[in-house]
Amino acid sequence: MLTRKLLACLLALLSMSSTGLSQTGYYKLEYELNNSEACVSSCPKQMSGIVDVPATARLEGHEYPVTSIGSCLFCYAFRDCRGIAEVRLPNGIKKIGQESFKGCVRLKKINIPTSVMDIEHSAFRGCENLASIDIPQGISEISFNTFEGCKNLKSVSLPFTVKNIDDYAFEDCVSLTDFQIPQFVTEILRGSFKNCRSLTNIVLPSTLKKIGEKAFCGCNGFTEIVIPLSVEYVWDGAFSQCKNLKRVDLKACKFGGGNGMFEDCDALENVENLNLSVISRGMFRNCKSLKNISFGENVSCIYPDAFAGTSVDVLNVPASVSNGLEYAEYYNDWKCLKKIVVDSSNKKFC
């Protein structure tokens, strides 16, 4: 009974739409009509070169405005059209649907009109030759996997209206150098900039609240990180494997950091005024150049394996610490440790 109802619903949806063709060069784009507006539904895989998407499409003897790319039911528009080099979108496009340009490996250039208000997930995933892109005002989120694997993407301009950068949005954008996080962003989520190894500098905005798991993992161009006071939590491995990171400023932070937050940052030498409430497991594991750490007054828990594989030889335990040090097994991989000095006013340890 349930299957019949679902089938009936699908048939009803299909009956409300209409499909038509419009000439674009030798090949034709296919459209679907929905609520008196046309959506680009598919593109012949043979299409190549420059594609001009028209502002209107003639369907069933009438002209309708083209307002979306690949946002109709089960439509992916230009997905895997490997020969396309440039796409010109008309003003009036409101939405770019999920996976609309995914796998367009030769796409180098596309304009995003100011009328676009929504870009769905994976829209440009795997566009290996896309060089730059400007996102218009009004877009509030860079959805998950939107630009993942855009290996030649060097420049991205985001508007101040962006609030969230979602999971893996720019993962493996290995050429990305010109990037500024908008000032009102509150969340940079899991793997957002993972392996963006050409990024040399990033300024985290004062509105930022969350940094996701491995958000900046493998960003080898970083030499310094300053985390603002507004940040409430940093998840596991957020800045791990940043091979050229030398300095970390955490003095404004009082949250409990994630495990392995700076793990395998080979060049990290100094961490000043480390004021996180919890120095979690593996936080600085295998930061082999790390020699000096100073703690702030907010530290309540230190897990010894946070510094396994570092060059720190003296651990100065502040009076505020009440947990973590009792786990003796976590000292096993801290080969350079020679001395533990506990503040005389510490009520838990001596």
Side-chain angles (χ1 to χ4, degrees):
M1 184 63 70
L2 181 61
T3 303
R4 290 179 181 177
K5 288 182 178 179
L6 288 172
L7 182 59
C9 289
L10 285 172
L11 290 173
L13 283 170
L14 291 172
S15 67
M16 290 189 293
S17 63
S18 176
T19 301
L21 298 174
S22 179
Q23 188 72 29
T24 301
Y26 181 77
Y27 298 101
K28 298 176 181 179
L29 296 177
E30 188 172 341
Y31 301 87
E32 192 164 306
L33 184 61
N34 191 12
N35 296 326
S36 299
E37 295 181 346
C39 164
V40 179
S41 59
S42 66
C43 167
K45 296 297 184 285
Q46 302 94 328
M47 192 173 282
S48 61
I50 299 174
V51 176
D52 286 297
V53 176
T56 61
R58 188 168 185 81
L59 303 170
E60 299 179 346
H62 299 280
E63 291 286 331
Y64 296 97
V66 177
T67 60
S68 60
I69 307 294
S71 62
C72 34
L73 190 63
F74 304 124
C75 296
Y76 300 102
F78 295 89
R79 186 174 71 176
D80 296 325
C81 291
R82 302 174 67 87
I84 293 174
E86 181 179 352
V87 175
R88 299 170 180 169
L89 300 178
N91 199 32
I93 297 290
K94 301 175 184 177
K95 184 176 182 179
I96 297 175
Q98 63 185 29
E99 301 186 13
S100 288
F101 297 94
K102 178 183 176 182
C104 294
V105 294
R106 291 181 177 83
L107 181 65
K108 293 183 178 180
K109 185 177 180 181
I110 183 171
N111 67 301
I112 309 295
T114 56
S115 54
V116 172
M117 300 300 291
D118 188 15
I119 300 175
E120 292 188 336
H121 74 85
S122 307
F124 299 95
R125 186 177 183 179
C127 292
E128 297 179 358
N129 279 289
L130 188 64
S132 65
I133 197 156
D134 293 332
I135 305 297
Q137 300 290 343
I139 298 293
S140 62
E141 179 181 64
I142 306 301
S143 191
F144 61 92
N145 303 105
T146 299
F147 297 100
E148 180 189 349
C150 294
K151 296 180 179 179
N152 285 292
L153 186 64
K154 294 181 179 179
S155 176
V156 175
S157 176
L158 297 184
F160 70 87
T161 51
V162 170
K163 301 295 190 299
N164 298 325
I165 300 176
D166 213 338
D167 296 352
Y168 310 110
F170 295 96
E171 183 183 15
D172 292 328
C173 291
V174 295
S175 300
L176 188 62
T177 56
D178 185 5
F179 193 92
Q180 184 173 357
I181 296 176
Q183 60 180 337
F184 297 115
V185 166
T186 59
E187 295 185 339
I188 298 173
L189 298 182
R190 179 172 49 185
S192 296
F193 295 93
K194 185 179 179 182
N195 296 331
C196 292
R197 57 177 180 248
S198 296
L199 276 178
T200 56
N201 184 41
I202 199 93
V203 177
L204 301 178
S206 60
T207 55
L208 187 63
K209 294 183 178 180
K210 295 180 181 178
I211 301 176
E213 179 182 349
K214 296 190 176 181
F216 296 97
C217 174
C219 291
N220 292 341
F222 290 175
T223 59
E224 181 178 0
I225 291 292
V226 179
I227 298 181
L229 177 63
S230 59
V231 173
E232 297 172 354
Y233 201 85
V234 179
W235 294 94
D236 297 356
F239 298 96
S240 59
Q241 300 176 37
C242 294
K243 299 297 185 182
N244 292 302
L245 183 65
K246 292 184 177 181
R247 180 178 176 270
V248 173
D249 185 345
L250 295 166
K251 63 178 178 289
C253 304
K254 298 181 180 180
F255 54 83
N259 296 335
M261 198 161 121
F262 295 97
E263 186 173 5
D264 294 320
C265 292
D266 294 344
L268 185 61
E269 296 176 351
N270 295 293
V271 178
E272 298 177 3
N273 203 12
L274 181 56
N275 207 29
L276 303 181
S277 60
V278 177
I279 313 302
S280 59
R281 292 182 174 124
M283 182 174 284
F284 298 96
R285 184 188 291 119
N286 297 329
C287 295
K288 56 189 179 182
S289 299
L290 184 59
K291 296 180 180 180
N292 301 305
I293 300 170
S294 62
F295 296 104
E297 297 178 353
N298 191 60
V299 179
S300 62
C301 178
I302 299 176
Y303 283 97
D305 72 334
F307 307 104
T310 70
S311 297
V312 174
D313 57 3
V314 178
L315 175 63
N316 292 294
V317 180
S320 57
V321 174
S322 59
N323 288 294
L325 296 177
E326 63 269 31
Y327 299 108
E329 65 270 23
Y330 293 145
Y331 289 93
N332 289 342
D333 295 324
W334 194 347
K335 305 298 184 183
C336 292
L337 183 63
K338 296 178 180 179
K339 183 188 296 186
I340 299 174
V341 180
V342 180
D343 189 289
S344 59
S345 58
N346 190 295
K347 296 180 181 179
K348 178 72 177 287
F349 300 107
C350 61

Short mmCIF file of all heavy atoms in Angstrom, two decimals, residues 249-305:
data_model
loop_
_atom_site.label_atom_id
_atom_site.label_comp_id
_atom_site.label_asym_id
_atom_site.label_seq_id
_atom_site.Cartn_x
_atom_site.Cartn_y
_atom_site.Cartn_z
N ASP A 249 48.85 31.22 19.25
CA ASP A 249 48.40 32.15 20.28
C ASP A 249 47.02 31.70 20.77
O ASP A 249 46.02 31.80 20.07
CB ASP A 249 48.31 33.57 19.68
CG ASP A 249 47.96 34.62 20.73
OD1 ASP A 249 47.51 34.23 21.83
OD2 ASP A 249 48.14 35.82 20.46
N LEU A 250 47.00 31.20 22.01
CA LEU A 250 45.76 30.69 22.60
C LEU A 250 45.39 31.44 23.88
O LEU A 250 44.54 30.97 24.65
CB LEU A 250 45.91 29.19 22.92
CG LEU A 250 46.08 28.26 21.71
CD1 LEU A 250 46.54 26.90 22.17
CD2 LEU A 250 44.78 28.14 20.95
N LYS A 251 45.99 32.58 24.09
CA LYS A 251 45.79 33.27 25.37
C LYS A 251 44.36 33.75 25.60
O LYS A 251 43.93 33.95 26.73
CB LYS A 251 46.76 34.45 25.50
CG LYS A 251 46.62 35.56 24.48
CD LYS A 251 47.62 36.66 24.79
CE LYS A 251 47.56 37.79 23.76
NZ LYS A 251 48.10 37.37 22.46
N ALA A 252 43.61 33.92 24.50
CA ALA A 252 42.23 34.38 24.64
C ALA A 252 41.24 33.23 24.81
O ALA A 252 40.05 33.45 24.97
CB ALA A 252 41.83 35.22 23.43
N CYS A 253 41.73 31.99 24.77
CA CYS A 253 40.85 30.83 24.72
C CYS A 253 40.75 30.13 26.06
O CYS A 253 41.78 29.87 26.71
CB CYS A 253 41.35 29.85 23.66
SG CYS A 253 41.50 30.60 22.03
N LYS A 254 39.53 29.79 26.44
CA LYS A 254 39.30 29.11 27.71
C LYS A 254 38.48 27.84 27.55
O LYS A 254 38.03 27.26 28.51
CB LYS A 254 38.60 30.06 28.68
CG LYS A 254 39.42 31.30 29.02
CD LYS A 254 38.71 32.19 30.01
CE LYS A 254 39.55 33.42 30.33
NZ LYS A 254 38.88 34.32 31.30
N PHE A 255 38.27 27.41 26.33
CA PHE A 255 37.47 26.22 26.07
C PHE A 255 38.30 24.95 26.26
O PHE A 255 39.51 25.00 26.47
CB PHE A 255 36.91 26.25 24.65
CG PHE A 255 37.97 26.45 23.59
CD1 PHE A 255 38.72 25.39 23.11
CD2 PHE A 255 38.21 27.72 23.08
CE1 PHE A 255 39.69 25.58 22.15
CE2 PHE A 255 39.18 27.92 22.11
CZ PHE A 255 39.93 26.84 21.65
N GLY A 256 37.64 23.81 26.18
CA GLY A 256 38.35 22.54 26.21
C GLY A 256 38.66 22.11 24.80
O GLY A 256 37.76 21.86 24.00
N GLY A 257 39.93 22.01 24.46
CA GLY A 257 40.31 21.71 23.08
C GLY A 257 40.14 20.25 22.72
O GLY A 257 40.17 19.37 23.59
N GLY A 258 39.99 19.95 21.44
CA GLY A 258 39.82 18.60 20.97
C GLY A 258 41.12 17.81 20.98
O GLY A 258 42.21 18.38 21.01
N ASN A 259 41.00 16.49 20.93
CA ASN A 259 42.17 15.62 20.88
C ASN A 259 42.98 15.88 19.61
O ASN A 259 42.42 16.10 18.54
CB ASN A 259 41.74 14.15 20.92
CG ASN A 259 41.06 13.76 22.21
OD1 ASN A 259 41.28 14.39 23.24
ND2 ASN A 259 40.22 12.75 22.16
N GLY A 260 44.31 15.83 19.75
CA GLY A 260 45.17 15.98 18.57
C GLY A 260 45.02 17.29 17.84
O GLY A 260 45.26 17.37 16.64
N MET A 261 44.67 18.33 18.57
CA MET A 261 44.36 19.61 17.93
C MET A 261 45.51 20.14 17.07
O MET A 261 45.30 20.67 15.98
CB MET A 261 44.03 20.62 19.03
CG MET A 261 43.29 21.84 18.58
SD MET A 261 42.51 22.61 20.02
CE MET A 261 43.23 24.21 19.99
N PHE A 262 46.77 20.00 17.56
CA PHE A 262 47.95 20.46 16.82
C PHE A 262 48.92 19.30 16.54
O PHE A 262 50.11 19.52 16.36
CB PHE A 262 48.66 21.57 17.60
CG PHE A 262 47.85 22.81 17.76
CD1 PHE A 262 47.13 23.04 18.92
CD2 PHE A 262 47.78 23.76 16.75
CE1 PHE A 262 46.37 24.20 19.08
CE2 PHE A 262 47.02 24.91 16.90
CZ PHE A 262 46.31 25.12 18.06
N GLU A 263 48.42 18.13 16.47
CA GLU A 263 49.26 16.94 16.29
C GLU A 263 50.05 17.00 14.99
O GLU A 263 49.56 17.45 13.95
CB GLU A 263 48.38 15.69 16.29
CG GLU A 263 49.13 14.38 16.25
CD GLU A 263 48.22 13.18 16.40
OE1 GLU A 263 46.98 13.37 16.45
OE2 GLU A 263 48.73 12.06 16.48
N ASP A 264 51.31 16.59 15.06
CA ASP A 264 52.19 16.50 13.87
C ASP A 264 52.48 17.85 13.22
O ASP A 264 52.74 17.92 12.01
CB ASP A 264 51.60 15.55 12.82
CG ASP A 264 51.57 14.10 13.30
OD1 ASP A 264 52.53 13.67 13.94
OD2 ASP A 264 50.56 13.42 13.04
N CYS A 265 52.46 18.91 14.03
CA CYS A 265 52.93 20.22 13.53
C CYS A 265 54.43 20.29 13.80
O CYS A 265 54.88 20.76 14.86
CB CYS A 265 52.17 21.35 14.23
SG CYS A 265 50.42 21.45 13.78
N ASP A 266 55.21 19.82 12.85
CA ASP A 266 56.64 19.57 13.04
C ASP A 266 57.44 20.80 13.43
O ASP A 266 58.43 20.70 14.16
CB ASP A 266 57.24 18.98 11.76
CG ASP A 266 56.69 17.61 11.44
OD1 ASP A 266 56.09 16.99 12.34
OD2 ASP A 266 56.86 17.15 10.29
N ALA A 267 57.06 21.99 12.93
CA ALA A 267 57.86 23.20 13.14
C ALA A 267 57.44 24.00 14.37
O ALA A 267 58.09 25.00 14.70
CB ALA A 267 57.81 24.08 11.90
N LEU A 268 56.38 23.60 15.04
CA LEU A 268 55.87 24.36 16.18
C LEU A 268 56.90 24.38 17.31
O LEU A 268 57.30 23.33 17.81
CB LEU A 268 54.55 23.77 16.67
CG LEU A 268 53.82 24.52 17.78
CD1 LEU A 268 53.45 25.93 17.32
CD2 LEU A 268 52.56 23.76 18.20
N GLU A 269 57.31 25.59 17.71
CA GLU A 269 58.37 25.73 18.71
C GLU A 269 57.85 26.24 20.06
O GLU A 269 58.32 25.80 21.10
CB GLU A 269 59.45 26.69 18.19
CG GLU A 269 60.17 26.18 16.96
CD GLU A 269 61.15 27.19 16.40
OE1 GLU A 269 61.15 28.36 16.88
OE2 GLU A 269 61.92 26.84 15.49
N ASN A 270 56.92 27.18 20.03
CA ASN A 270 56.48 27.83 21.27
C ASN A 270 54.96 27.92 21.34
O ASN A 270 54.30 28.27 20.35
CB ASN A 270 57.07 29.24 21.38
CG ASN A 270 58.58 29.22 21.51
OD1 ASN A 270 59.11 28.75 22.50
ND2 ASN A 270 59.26 29.73 20.49
N VAL A 271 54.45 27.63 22.51
CA VAL A 271 53.04 27.84 22.81
C VAL A 271 52.99 28.68 24.08
O VAL A 271 53.38 28.22 25.15
CB VAL A 271 52.28 26.51 23.02
CG1 VAL A 271 50.82 26.79 23.38
CG2 VAL A 271 52.36 25.64 21.77
N GLU A 272 52.55 29.92 23.93
CA GLU A 272 52.58 30.85 25.06
C GLU A 272 51.21 31.01 25.69
O GLU A 272 50.20 31.11 25.01
CB GLU A 272 53.10 32.21 24.58
CG GLU A 272 54.53 32.15 24.03
CD GLU A 272 55.00 33.47 23.50
OE1 GLU A 272 54.23 34.46 23.62
OE2 GLU A 272 56.11 33.53 22.97
N ASN A 273 51.21 31.04 27.04
CA ASN A 273 50.00 31.29 27.81
C ASN A 273 48.86 30.37 27.37
O ASN A 273 47.76 30.81 27.06
CB ASN A 273 49.57 32.76 27.67
CG ASN A 273 48.71 33.21 28.84
OD1 ASN A 273 48.62 32.51 29.84
ND2 ASN A 273 48.09 34.36 28.69
N LEU A 274 49.15 29.09 27.36
CA LEU A 274 48.16 28.08 26.99
C LEU A 274 47.08 28.05 28.08
O LEU A 274 47.31 27.55 29.17
CB LEU A 274 48.84 26.71 26.86
CG LEU A 274 47.98 25.53 26.45
CD1 LEU A 274 47.27 25.79 25.14
CD2 LEU A 274 48.85 24.27 26.34
N ASN A 275 45.91 28.58 27.75
CA ASN A 275 44.90 28.84 28.77
C ASN A 275 43.64 27.99 28.60
O ASN A 275 42.60 28.28 29.20
CB ASN A 275 44.53 30.32 28.76
CG ASN A 275 44.02 30.80 30.11
OD1 ASN A 275 44.42 30.28 31.14
ND2 ASN A 275 43.15 31.79 30.10
N LEU A 276 43.70 26.96 27.76
CA LEU A 276 42.55 26.08 27.58
C LEU A 276 42.21 25.38 28.88
O LEU A 276 43.11 24.99 29.64
CB LEU A 276 42.84 25.05 26.50
CG LEU A 276 43.24 25.56 25.12
CD1 LEU A 276 43.47 24.40 24.17
CD2 LEU A 276 42.18 26.48 24.56
N SER A 277 40.94 25.18 29.14
CA SER A 277 40.55 24.51 30.38
C SER A 277 41.03 23.06 30.41
O SER A 277 41.39 22.54 31.46
CB SER A 277 39.03 24.57 30.56
OG SER A 277 38.38 23.94 29.47
N VAL A 278 41.05 22.41 29.26
CA VAL A 278 41.51 21.02 29.16
C VAL A 278 42.59 20.92 28.09
O VAL A 278 42.35 21.26 26.93
CB VAL A 278 40.36 20.06 28.82
CG1 VAL A 278 40.88 18.64 28.67
CG2 VAL A 278 39.27 20.12 29.89
N ILE A 279 43.79 20.48 28.50
CA ILE A 279 44.84 20.17 27.52
C ILE A 279 44.65 18.70 27.19
O ILE A 279 45.08 17.81 27.92
CB ILE A 279 46.25 20.43 28.11
CG1 ILE A 279 46.30 21.80 28.81
CG2 ILE A 279 47.30 20.33 27.02
CD1 ILE A 279 45.95 22.96 27.93
N SER A 280 43.97 18.43 26.11
CA SER A 280 43.42 17.10 25.84
C SER A 280 44.46 16.13 25.28
O SER A 280 45.60 16.49 24.98
CB SER A 280 42.24 17.21 24.88
OG SER A 280 42.66 17.82 23.67
N ARG A 281 44.05 14.92 25.12
CA ARG A 281 44.93 13.83 24.68
C ARG A 281 45.52 14.11 23.30
O ARG A 281 44.81 14.42 22.36
CB ARG A 281 44.17 12.51 24.68
CG ARG A 281 43.81 12.06 26.08
CD ARG A 281 43.09 10.72 26.09
NE ARG A 281 42.89 10.28 27.46
CZ ARG A 281 41.71 9.97 27.99
NH1 ARG A 281 40.62 10.07 27.25
NH2 ARG A 281 41.62 9.58 29.24
N GLY A 282 46.82 14.00 23.21
CA GLY A 282 47.50 14.15 21.93
C GLY A 282 47.45 15.54 21.34
O GLY A 282 47.72 15.71 20.15
N MET A 283 47.12 16.54 22.14
CA MET A 283 46.93 17.89 21.58
C MET A 283 48.15 18.36 20.80
O MET A 283 48.02 18.94 19.72
CB MET A 283 46.60 18.89 22.68
CG MET A 283 46.33 20.29 22.16
SD MET A 283 45.77 21.46 23.41
CE MET A 283 44.07 20.94 23.61
N PHE A 284 49.36 18.11 21.33
CA PHE A 284 50.61 18.51 20.64
C PHE A 284 51.47 17.29 20.30
O PHE A 284 52.68 17.42 20.16
CB PHE A 284 51.39 19.48 21.53
CG PHE A 284 50.67 20.76 21.81
CD1 PHE A 284 49.94 20.92 22.97
CD2 PHE A 284 50.70 21.81 20.90
CE1 PHE A 284 49.26 22.10 23.24
CE2 PHE A 284 50.02 22.99 21.15
CZ PHE A 284 49.30 23.13 22.32
N ARG A 285 50.85 16.16 20.18
CA ARG A 285 51.60 14.92 19.93
C ARG A 285 52.47 15.04 18.67
O ARG A 285 52.04 15.51 17.62
CB ARG A 285 50.64 13.74 19.78
CG ARG A 285 51.34 12.39 19.61
CD ARG A 285 50.38 11.28 19.27
NE ARG A 285 49.52 10.95 20.39
CZ ARG A 285 48.20 11.05 20.37
NH1 ARG A 285 47.59 11.52 19.28
NH2 ARG A 285 47.49 10.72 21.43
N ASN A 286 53.73 14.63 18.81
CA ASN A 286 54.70 14.60 17.71
C ASN A 286 55.02 15.98 17.12
O ASN A 286 55.46 16.07 15.96
CB ASN A 286 54.23 13.66 16.60
CG ASN A 286 54.13 12.22 17.06
OD1 ASN A 286 54.88 11.79 17.95
ND2 ASN A 286 53.20 11.47 16.50
N CYS A 287 54.82 17.02 17.93
CA CYS A 287 55.34 18.35 17.55
C CYS A 287 56.80 18.36 18.01
O CYS A 287 57.13 18.89 19.08
CB CYS A 287 54.53 19.46 18.20
SG CYS A 287 52.82 19.55 17.64
N LYS A 288 57.65 17.77 17.22
CA LYS A 288 59.01 17.43 17.66
C LYS A 288 59.88 18.65 17.95
O LYS A 288 60.89 18.54 18.66
CB LYS A 288 59.68 16.53 16.64
CG LYS A 288 59.75 17.09 15.23
CD LYS A 288 60.24 16.03 14.26
CE LYS A 288 60.28 16.55 12.82
NZ LYS A 288 60.71 15.49 11.88
N SER A 289 59.53 19.83 17.42
CA SER A 289 60.31 21.04 17.68
C SER A 289 59.83 21.81 18.90
O SER A 289 60.47 22.78 19.32
CB SER A 289 60.28 21.97 16.46
OG SER A 289 60.83 21.34 15.31
N LEU A 290 58.73 21.37 19.48
CA LEU A 290 58.15 22.10 20.61
C LEU A 290 59.00 21.92 21.86
O LEU A 290 59.24 20.81 22.33
CB LEU A 290 56.73 21.59 20.88
CG LEU A 290 55.93 22.30 21.97
CD1 LEU A 290 55.79 23.79 21.66
CD2 LEU A 290 54.56 21.66 22.14
N LYS A 291 59.46 23.06 22.40
CA LYS A 291 60.35 23.04 23.57
C LYS A 291 59.78 23.80 24.76
O LYS A 291 60.07 23.45 25.90
CB LYS A 291 61.71 23.63 23.20
CG LYS A 291 62.47 22.84 22.16
CD LYS A 291 63.81 23.51 21.84
CE LYS A 291 64.59 22.70 20.80
NZ LYS A 291 65.88 23.33 20.47
N ASN A 292 58.99 24.85 24.48
CA ASN A 292 58.54 25.72 25.56
C ASN A 292 57.02 25.84 25.59
O ASN A 292 56.39 26.09 24.56
CB ASN A 292 59.15 27.12 25.39
CG ASN A 292 60.66 27.08 25.38
OD1 ASN A 292 61.27 26.57 26.32
ND2 ASN A 292 61.26 27.64 24.33
N ILE A 293 56.47 25.67 26.79
CA ILE A 293 55.04 25.83 27.01
C ILE A 293 54.84 26.61 28.29
O ILE A 293 55.47 26.30 29.31
CB ILE A 293 54.32 24.48 27.14
CG1 ILE A 293 54.50 23.65 25.87
CG2 ILE A 293 52.83 24.68 27.41
CD1 ILE A 293 54.04 22.23 26.02
N SER A 294 53.98 27.61 28.25
CA SER A 294 53.59 28.30 29.49
C SER A 294 52.08 28.22 29.61
O SER A 294 51.35 28.38 28.63
CB SER A 294 54.05 29.76 29.47
OG SER A 294 53.44 30.47 28.41
N PHE A 295 51.60 27.92 30.82
CA PHE A 295 50.18 27.72 31.04
C PHE A 295 49.53 28.96 31.66
O PHE A 295 50.14 29.67 32.47
CB PHE A 295 49.95 26.53 31.98
CG PHE A 295 50.40 25.22 31.40
CD1 PHE A 295 51.58 24.62 31.83
CD2 PHE A 295 49.65 24.58 30.43
CE1 PHE A 295 51.99 23.42 31.29
CE2 PHE A 295 50.06 23.37 29.89
CZ PHE A 295 51.24 22.79 30.32
N GLY A 296 48.26 29.18 31.30
CA GLY A 296 47.47 30.24 31.91
C GLY A 296 46.78 29.75 33.16
O GLY A 296 46.88 28.58 33.56
N GLU A 297 46.01 30.64 33.78
CA GLU A 297 45.38 30.35 35.06
C GLU A 297 44.10 29.53 34.92
O GLU A 297 43.54 29.08 35.93
CB GLU A 297 45.06 31.66 35.79
CG GLU A 297 46.31 32.48 36.14
CD GLU A 297 45.96 33.79 36.81
OE1 GLU A 297 44.75 34.11 36.88
OE2 GLU A 297 46.90 34.48 37.26
N ASN A 298 43.63 29.34 33.70
CA ASN A 298 42.36 28.65 33.50
C ASN A 298 42.50 27.14 33.36
O ASN A 298 41.50 26.42 33.34
CB ASN A 298 41.66 29.23 32.26
CG ASN A 298 40.23 28.78 32.12
OD1 ASN A 298 39.41 29.03 32.99
ND2 ASN A 298 39.93 28.11 31.02
N VAL A 299 43.73 26.63 33.24
CA VAL A 299 43.95 25.20 32.98
C VAL A 299 43.54 24.37 34.20
O VAL A 299 44.05 24.58 35.30
CB VAL A 299 45.42 24.93 32.63
CG1 VAL A 299 45.64 23.44 32.37
CG2 VAL A 299 45.83 25.73 31.41
N SER A 300 42.64 23.40 33.99
CA SER A 300 42.20 22.53 35.08
C SER A 300 42.58 21.08 34.85
O SER A 300 42.61 20.29 35.80
CB SER A 300 40.69 22.64 35.28
OG SER A 300 40.01 22.21 34.10
N CYS A 301 42.87 20.72 33.60
CA CYS A 301 43.18 19.32 33.29
C CYS A 301 44.30 19.26 32.25
O CYS A 301 44.23 19.93 31.22
CB CYS A 301 41.94 18.61 32.77
SG CYS A 301 42.20 16.88 32.30
N ILE A 302 45.34 18.47 32.54
CA ILE A 302 46.43 18.25 31.58
C ILE A 302 46.61 16.74 31.41
O ILE A 302 46.91 16.03 32.37
CB ILE A 302 47.76 18.86 32.06
CG1 ILE A 302 47.64 20.37 32.22
CG2 ILE A 302 48.88 18.53 31.06
CD1 ILE A 302 48.90 21.02 32.78
N TYR A 303 46.41 16.26 30.19
CA TYR A 303 46.72 14.86 29.90
C TYR A 303 48.17 14.78 29.44
O TYR A 303 48.56 15.45 28.47
CB TYR A 303 45.78 14.32 28.83
CG TYR A 303 44.40 14.00 29.33
CD1 TYR A 303 43.37 14.91 29.18
CD2 TYR A 303 44.14 12.80 29.99
CE1 TYR A 303 42.09 14.62 29.65
CE2 TYR A 303 42.87 12.50 30.47
CZ TYR A 303 41.85 13.42 30.30
OH TYR A 303 40.60 13.13 30.78
N PRO A 304 49.00 13.98 30.10
CA PRO A 304 50.43 13.93 29.77
C PRO A 304 50.72 13.59 28.31
O PRO A 304 51.70 14.09 27.75
CB PRO A 304 50.97 12.86 30.72
CG PRO A 304 50.02 12.85 31.86
CD PRO A 304 48.68 13.15 31.28
N ASP A 305 49.89 12.75 27.70
CA ASP A 305 50.20 12.38 26.31
C ASP A 305 49.90 13.53 25.35
O ASP A 305 50.12 13.41 24.15
CB ASP A 305 49.47 11.11 25.89
CG ASP A 305 47.97 11.32 25.70
OD1 ASP A 305 47.41 12.24 26.32
OD2 ASP A 305 47.38 10.54 24.94
#
